[in-house]
Amino acid sequence: MENFLEKTGLILEGGGLRGIYSSGVLRFFMERGLFFPYVVGVSMGACNAANYLSRQMDRNRIVNIDFVKDHRYLSRRRWFFKGELFGMDFIFDTIPNHLVPFDYARFFAAGEKFWVGTTDCRSGRPLYFEKSQLGNDLMTVLRASCSLPFISKTVSFQGRHLMDGGVADPIPIYKSMVDGNTRHILILTRPRGYRKNPIPLQKILLLRYARFPGLCQALARRYLRYNRVMDYIEALETNGTVFVLRPSAPLKTKRAEKNQGRLMQSFEQGYKDAASSFPSLIGFLRKPEKMIVPFRFPGEMTGSFVTHSGF
């Protein structure tokens, strides 16, 4: 590993199938042999990262574009009758273990640290798992990280109920900081300036997840967390202390996109953005590091950041 990559964290946002943009970015990184020593992702960002560590350059594209019209992958009928829009058994069992085999051996042999972010439904706090802890449970934890509220079911794991990691910690730059990284490369799926609005219909939220008050609170406050961390990231970006890859314009791809043309367009946009930004990225990595002020969610994150340390 080259010295200029030490203490550098790669941080991947989720966003459902908008994350195909990040797949394009990582495809370019893999072609150039650029692998960061520390990777953290939530939701589809975590799935993208898993294929990045397994060195399977085409797998993100194949799984998330070639299969998207398969009713086993994405079906509104299934959501109506079973409460699950995405076929999670198909995505996290049939595909990786039979149709497009995931290279588990190469993944676990990779030297990079890799953290998968989830949300603990009872506490509403972020809960992270490192790849060395997972073994045969890798796909279960990735499934939990991608289980979006309202369109997926909770995942039971190690006595906890888990859901989408992007709820409690939408862009885990703080996780990267507390783990000792001093440089941060972010791959985002929204253009600069994007901010979230509060979730409408709060009463429906409370009814749907009445047994998980922590999750309800995290969902209700998610827009505040997201907007605060984006303010922080954009300030760091202006000061030249983080490097951000993001779409220059809003992606046409939706969270649950079935149009393969739009998905491929977003994938290619990510690849092209990575290629055009590559010289600047290498220049950023070779510059002396700057000290930055650690971020905390005001009044929330202190004392509530959770890292799962072992089974």
Side-chain angles (χ1 to χ4, degrees), residues 34-293:
L34 180 60
F35 295 94
F36 295 92
Y38 177 103
V39 184
V40 58
V42 295
S43 196
M44 187 172 171
C47 292
N48 276 323
N51 293 311
Y52 174 66
L53 267 70
S54 71
R55 309 302 197 256
Q56 293 175 275
M57 286 197 288
D58 287 320
R59 196 170 183 280
N60 281 321
R61 176 186 58 78
I62 293 169
V63 170
N64 296 299
I65 297 180
D66 292 5
F67 283 94
V68 76
K69 285 189 175 292
D70 191 314
H71 70 91
R72 294 172 296 176
Y73 183 103
L74 177 61
S75 168
R76 289 176 174 79
R77 180 180 176 85
R78 180 176 47 250
W79 176 73
F80 183 79
F81 286 104
K82 297 184 179 181
E84 191 175 71
L85 183 62
F86 290 91
M88 304 300 265
D89 289 337
F90 181 68
I91 294 171
F92 292 102
D93 182 9
T94 305
I95 291 179
N97 295 322
H98 303 286
L99 300 180
V100 189
F102 179 76
D103 192 339
Y104 291 94
R106 185 66 188 86
F107 171 83
F108 285 110
E112 297 86 4
K113 282 279 187 181
F114 172 43
W115 292 91
V116 180
T118 67
T119 297
D120 185 309
C121 294
R122 296 204 181 279
S123 69
R125 296 175 179 177
L127 186 64
Y128 281 89
F129 300 86
E130 208 279 318
K131 75 176 174 69
S132 63
Q133 303 167 343
L134 293 176
N136 293 333
D137 296 316
L138 170 64
M139 289 298 162
T140 300
V141 172
L142 288 175
R143 175 175 182 162
S145 187
C146 293
S147 293
L148 304 169
F150 300 107
I151 61 174
S152 301
K153 299 176 181 178
T154 63
V155 174
S156 297
F157 182 65
Q158 294 292 315
R160 294 180 171 90
H161 295 276
L162 306 175
M163 290 202 85
D164 174 28
V167 173
D169 198 8
I171 304 171
I173 186 170
Y174 182 51
K175 168 65 177 167
S176 181
M177 287 179 175
V178 299
D179 284 346
N181 294 311
T182 54
R183 287 191 181 91
H184 310 277
I185 313 301
L186 295 102
I187 305 177
L188 308 182
T189 57
R190 295 287 197 178
R192 185 179 177 89
Y194 173 81
R195 297 294 186 273
K196 291 189 180 296
N197 295 315
I199 295 177
L201 306 175
Q202 294 287 324
K203 290 183 179 179
I204 294 179
L205 169 65
L206 293 172
L207 286 173
R208 178 68 182 270
Y209 297 110
R211 22 182 324 231
F212 301 122
L215 178 64
C216 290
Q217 184 180 40
L219 281 167
R221 298 181 65 83
R222 185 179 181 227
Y223 78 102
L224 293 173
R225 290 172 177 254
Y226 182 92
N227 295 346
R228 288 169 181 168
V229 76
M230 283 309 308
D231 289 344
Y232 177 66
I233 288 168
E234 290 182 8
L236 294 179
E237 187 180 11
T238 300
N239 293 335
T241 49
V242 301
F243 193 93
V244 182
L245 275 157
R246 57 158 68 84
S248 56
L251 300 175
K252 294 181 179 179
T253 303
K254 300 176 183 176
R255 183 180 292 270
E257 182 63 66
K258 294 194 73 170
N259 185 303
Q260 291 174 311
R262 284 197 287 265
L263 287 163
M264 194 64 199
Q265 185 180 38
S266 295
F267 177 87
E268 291 173 349
Q269 184 178 343
Y271 185 93
K272 291 176 182 176
D273 286 351
S276 63
S277 299
F278 191 66
S280 298
L281 172 59
I282 296 301
F284 170 82
L285 292 170
R286 291 189 182 278
K287 288 191 303 185
E289 63 189 63
K290 298 180 180 180
M291 295 298 295
I292 59 178
V293 178

